[in-house]
Amino acid sequence: MSYSLAIIELFELLVPVIKIVVLVFAVILPMVAYSVWAERRVSAIIQDRVGPNRVGIPFTKIGLAGLGQPISDGLKFLLKEDFTPGHVNKLYFWLAPALTMVPAILTCAVLPFGSELFGEKMVVADLNVGPLFIFAIASLSVYGIVLAGWASNSKYPFLGGIRSTSQMISYEISLGLSLVPVLLIFGELNLSSIVEEQSKNGWLLLPLWGEGAIWNGGWDRFFLFFPALLAFIIFTTSIFAETNRLPFDLPECETELVAGYHTEYSSMKFALFFLGEYAAMIIGSGLIVTLFLGGWSLPFGWDAALMSLAGEPEHVPWWLGVIHISTFLAKVIAFIIFFIWVRWTLPRFRYDQLMKLGWVVFFELALLNIFITAGIIIWTRP
């Protein structure tokens, strides 16, 4: 009996480890690498260029549309000389890239990337304070950028670090405030529960089935759609600012600061900054999808229909679990392409415009949106 209990306990310990290894090394890191490839290909299409299209299967003429380019770039970073300038503060100079990369990876622990697979919930840590955990950990990445700017002992990285600090402070306020109406609507801080609610009663931005549908008496969801849409716009724009993506890329503005906070970096330390930016973009896309677009759930009540087709078992069938994971990844990839499209379409803000948008426009709108949402909830719900 004790032997069986020991096996069960060992299995329960191994499951989170397996989830972490698969999520980080089989999903996040490959997505980061191929997000860079997608960025280069999409930007080439927008600018009427070719982009990377040669690197494919080694020693053959099969290019595979350049899909081998990220592997080639990764090997280049690994083999490149890791040069540390003599004038830098070496301890913090080495610490900064890790402080940028690690928080971006940690935040994926609370994102539900699927419903169930073989009876296991597809989330590493099913916390009841998921959004707060993401904000708390993601905000640490600014320390890496600031340390990189300060430790480089160079004016361009220093200016990039200072810009990043003020930008993060400005947009984290509107980012947090824009999320409050969403949490008021769901009355929940558990991201898995929020997705399950949207699966049953319509996505927050698509309330067209279940009890959330207007023809089923879901008038509150109809009126709440408008503050939810405003929250979505503010939240998405703030994610752009938090991840230093254009038009908010003032901390690494090439036309003014060479490369900003990572000007003095090379080899794998530079690669960690690069990976951190794209990992933050992926996690930001995942959070937007989870809160506003139903996460892993299928639209129009198809989840309930497929469960009925399977005979409504106690656990989600494995094939439906795979469909849910694929649905979540498809939504995230669509948002990544949106991030890329915006970067290569819009011009960069001036610094005064960036600050004005954060403090004068988004801060007030996000605060007003909380009162509007609370008023609608009091008015429409008994």
Side-chain angles (χ1 to χ4, degrees):
M1 186 69 178
S2 59
Y3 181 71
S4 301
L5 285 172
I7 292 175
I8 292 169
E9 288 175 1
L10 180 63
F11 178 74
E12 289 177 350
L13 285 171
L14 283 176
V15 166
V17 175
I18 293 168
K19 286 180 186 177
I20 292 166
V21 170
V22 171
L23 184 61
V24 173
F25 294 100
V27 179
I28 298 294
L29 291 182
M31 280 188 75
V32 166
Y34 282 94
S35 293
V36 179
W37 172 86
E39 175 121 44
R40 296 172 70 182
R41 292 289 290 182
V42 172
S43 66
I45 292 167
I46 290 172
Q47 297 177 345
D48 198 20
R49 295 186 289 109
V50 177
N53 66 341
R54 299 301 178 94
V55 183
I57 300 174
F59 311 113
T60 70
K61 293 184 179 180
I62 303 172
L64 293 178
L67 286 171
Q69 189 69 48
I71 300 168
S72 167
D73 290 339
L75 289 172
K76 181 196 75 173
F77 281 124
L78 284 170
L79 298 174
K80 200 172 183 180
E81 180 186 1
D82 189 6
F83 177 73
T84 302
H87 62 270
V88 303
N89 188 318
K90 289 184 173 56
L91 173 63
Y92 298 114
F93 188 81
W94 279 71
L95 185 62
L99 277 177
T100 305
M101 177 66 180
V102 171
I105 296 294
L106 275 176
T107 49
C108 71
V110 296
L111 276 182
F113 53 93
S115 53
E116 289 181 10
L117 196 61
F118 304 114
E120 286 294 331
K121 293 187 79 171
M122 289 295 99
V123 57
V124 175
D126 194 20
L127 301 183
N128 287 325
V129 287
L132 301 183
F133 175 85
I134 289 174
F135 288 156
I137 299 299
S139 63
L140 297 176
S141 62
V142 71
Y143 291 105
I145 295 173
V146 172
L147 277 178
W150 176 79
S152 295
N153 283 331
S154 177
K155 62 180 178 181
Y156 288 134
F158 181 72
L159 287 171
I162 294 297
R163 284 183 174 188
S164 179
T165 307
S166 55
Q167 183 170 311
M168 289 271 188
I169 291 169
S170 302
Y171 282 88
E172 272 194 2
I173 295 172
S174 56
L175 188 75
L177 289 175
S178 67
L179 193 60
V180 174
V182 178
L183 303 179
L184 283 172
I185 291 168
F186 290 113
E188 184 73 57
L189 277 168
N190 186 294
L191 292 174
S192 296
S193 300
I194 288 173
V195 176
E196 288 168 9
E197 166 74 15
Q198 291 182 85
S199 174
K200 294 174 185 174
N201 298 320
W203 300 348
L204 192 58
L205 295 184
L206 195 68
L208 298 178
W209 64 91
E211 294 178 6
I214 299 167
W215 46 84
N216 286 338
W219 282 103
D220 56 339
R221 276 294 180 92
F222 172 74
F223 290 112
L224 287 169
F225 170 81
F226 300 101
L229 181 61
L230 180 58
F232 169 75
I233 293 168
I234 297 172
F235 189 83
T236 304
T237 310
S238 299
I239 288 287
F240 273 87
E242 289 289 297
T243 53
N244 297 324
R245 297 284 299 180
L246 207 143
F248 298 93
D249 68 335
L250 273 296
E252 51 187 271
C253 175
E254 292 88 352
T255 54
E256 299 172 14
L257 305 180
V258 185
Y261 57 87
H262 53 66
T263 299
E264 303 288 349
Y265 283 88
S266 62
S267 187
M268 279 306 295
K269 291 199 287 294
F270 170 76
L272 284 176
F273 280 116
F274 213 62
L275 292 172
E277 177 185 329
Y278 280 88
M281 181 177 73
I282 291 166
I283 301 303
S285 300
L287 188 57
I288 293 167
V289 164
T290 299
L291 292 169
F292 297 97
L293 295 171
W296 46 258
S297 65
L298 295 164
F300 308 115
W302 293 347
D303 289 315
L306 289 172
M307 284 294 285
S308 299
L309 189 66
E312 296 191 0
E314 184 180 349
H315 294 290
V316 176
W318 69 267
W319 52 269
L320 185 53
V322 171
I323 290 173
H324 285 159
I325 294 171
S326 303
T327 302
F328 180 78
L329 290 176
K331 292 177 184 177
V332 170
I333 289 168
F335 254 95
I336 290 170
I337 293 170
F338 173 68
F339 269 77
I340 294 168
W341 173 70
V342 168
R343 174 178 179 179
W344 295 98
T345 306
L346 299 181
R348 182 182 294 117
F349 283 124
R350 286 200 322 262
Y351 200 74
D352 62 312
Q353 292 173 330
L354 181 141
M355 288 291 117
K356 184 178 180 181
L357 182 67
W359 287 106
V360 178
V361 180
F362 281 175
F363 175 70
E364 283 80 356
L365 274 178
L367 200 59
L368 179 64
N369 203 29
I370 295 172
F371 291 102
I372 292 171
T373 306
I376 292 172
I377 290 172
I378 292 169
W379 175 49
T380 57
R381 294 183 184 177

